[in-house]
Amino acid sequence: MKVLSLGCGGFIGSHLTRRLLDKGHSVTGIDIYNDKIEECIGHDKFSFIRHDIRKPGLGLKEMVADADVVIDLIAYANPGLYIKMPLEVFRLNFVENLKIADACLSLGKRLIQFSTCEVYGKTVVSFLKEELKDPEDPRYATFSEDSSDFILGHLGKHRWIYSCAKQLLERVIHAYGIEKNFNYTIIRPFNFIGPKIDYLLDETDGIPRVFSFFMDALINGTPMKLVDGGHHRRCYTYIDDAIECIYRIVMNPDNVCDRQIFNIGTPENEVSIRQLAEMMREIYNDTFSDKRRPLSEIIEVPASDFYGEGYEDSDRRIPDISKARRLLGWEPKWKLREMLETTMRYYITEYLKHYREQHADAHFHDIVHKALEIT
Ligand SMILES: NC(=O)c1ccc[n+]([C@@H]2O[C@H](COP(=O)([O-])OP(=O)(O)OC[C@H]3O[C@@H](n4cnc5c(N)ncnc54)[C@H](O)[C@@H]3O)[C@@H](O)[C@H]2O)c1
């Protein structure tokens, strides 16, 4: 199969490229960055084009015409950026992504569009807590692709522009399906974790996502900051489980994924952000720390200090994955603790060792050394 993958150099894209090549498919990949897919460059079935899709000269239509399936992963997917530059988030995540959908529509190609679980927004519990008999009932926070409503904050909470842009893109693609028989599959990821999730120590693309932020804090002995107490809950999924599901969607057995939306997540791995911080701290202390430096403290910070004004968060979200189970026979396998340990080890060994030169203090050498011994 010939796959065109836009955003192939990101967290999900890099793992997916590897899987597609390993399975013998041809991949044309487009991204601004190639650090995460360096190992694939040079593969005879991979052609990488470094290009910013906002700039002219890509030849998108020709590339779409040449592909059997198009996968669009491109987005700003970082809450810090939704606060800092909401217009640019809208422009990239909706306006530019729509051009990709339009090219697929005009050439009759199937599109796999990455959306987000953030389209579901908040739960009813976030504003009706007092009136509900059992606000802890997980049914209030369990979201299904084809029946759950979307609840977002007011305009002053402009972080929802990410969710809105993704939702609008989904709605247009869905309408193309109704009016123009467009063939698509929409994917809503629920918080994936794994190697290559974000760069540590680098805020070029905003504050890194929570795992990388905590990892960075642990390595540097700086505070692990819990935004608004860290009460919000998430269900984490290991990247290998996610890629297995995405790969099945790409293969589309008996066309079961045509005009379908899929949640990809692990309902059993629910944890509050505070519990996530505590678990990572414990793993770091038990497995990686040299014990010479005090462990990072966990502290609380208001969202307005951490992100700026306009922030609000989904209080809780649990994926209903019965559709992926039924249509694709997919079942996530990784438990939270093991995915954290594996990913933390990756960061300390494979990733941070490249930074040995720049961060050559004794503490850093010790943790890398310890992790390498354990691997
Ligand atoms: N990782 C998750 O848990 C998660 C959760 C919800 C939604 N998603 C969605 O899945 C998709 C992939 O997520 P990810 O975690 O791999 O994100 P990522 O940021 O790691 O990957 C996105 C890639 O798009 C590239 N890109 C951005 N702007 C570009 C441009 N103008 N031209 C060319 N390339 C550009 C980036 O360089 C990056 O490599 C995104 O659409 C995201 O919204 C991911």
Side-chain angles (χ1 to χ4, degrees), residues 10 12 27 36 63 69 72-73 89 98 118 127 143 165-166 192 217 235 259 266 276 330 338 360 364:
I12 301 173
V27 181
K36 295 180 186 175
M63 278 189 260
V69 62
D72 179 15
L73 298 126
V89 168
L98 187 59
E118 288 223 359
F127 55 94
F143 296 111
K166 291 272 193 186
F192 301 167
C235 292
R259 291 184 202 91
T266 310
L276 180 77
W330 175 73
E338 60 176 334
F364 181 80

Side-chain angles (χ1 to χ4, degrees), residues 19 46 59 93 108 116 120 137 180 207 217 239 252 276 338 355:
R19 172 67 70 95
F46 183 51
N93 294 9
T116 174
Y120 296 114
D137 188 334
K180 299 171 191 285
I207 301 159
I239 189 70
N252 197 13
L276 180 77
E338 60 176 334
Y355 286 79

Side-chain angles (χ1 to χ4, degrees), residues 6-13 30-33 36 51-54 72-77 82 92-93 113-118 162 166 188-193 196-198 205 209:
L6 296 115
C8 69
F11 169 43
I12 301 173
I30 297 161
D31 208 298
I32 309 171
Y33 303 114
K36 295 180 186 175
H51 193 92
D52 184 330
I53 57 154
R54 292 165 293 193
D72 179 15
L73 298 126
I74 289 181
Y76 283 127
Y82 318 157
L92 182 66
N93 294 9
Q113 178 64 57
F114 274 77
S115 183
T116 174
C117 58
E118 288 223 359
Y162 169 75
K166 291 272 193 186
R188 295 183 184 152
F190 280 67
N191 298 86
F192 301 167
I193 279 190
K196 305 185 185 180
I197 181 169
D198 274 323
D205 285 333
R209 286 171 274 199

Side-chain angles (χ1 to χ4, degrees), residues 275-332:
Q275 289 167 327
L276 180 77
E278 285 164 354
M279 201 183 272
M280 286 181 68
R281 195 171 179 266
E282 189 187 299
I283 293 170
Y284 185 80
N285 189 43
D286 293 352
T287 313
F288 302 117
S289 170
D290 59 17
K291 307 272 184 341
R292 276 196 252 148
R293 189 191 279 212
L295 261 183
S296 298
E297 314 166 70
I298 297 178
I299 62 166
E300 295 187 14
V301 291
S304 53
D305 287 1
F306 193 80
Y307 287 115
E309 293 303 328
Y311 186 78
E312 190 177 50
D313 206 354
S314 307
D315 48 321
R316 190 179 181 194
R317 53 187 184 223
I318 304 170
D320 170 2
I321 54 167
S322 52
K323 197 202 271 191
R325 283 180 167 135
R326 191 177 74 250
L327 296 182
L328 299 166
W330 175 73
E331 191 63 46

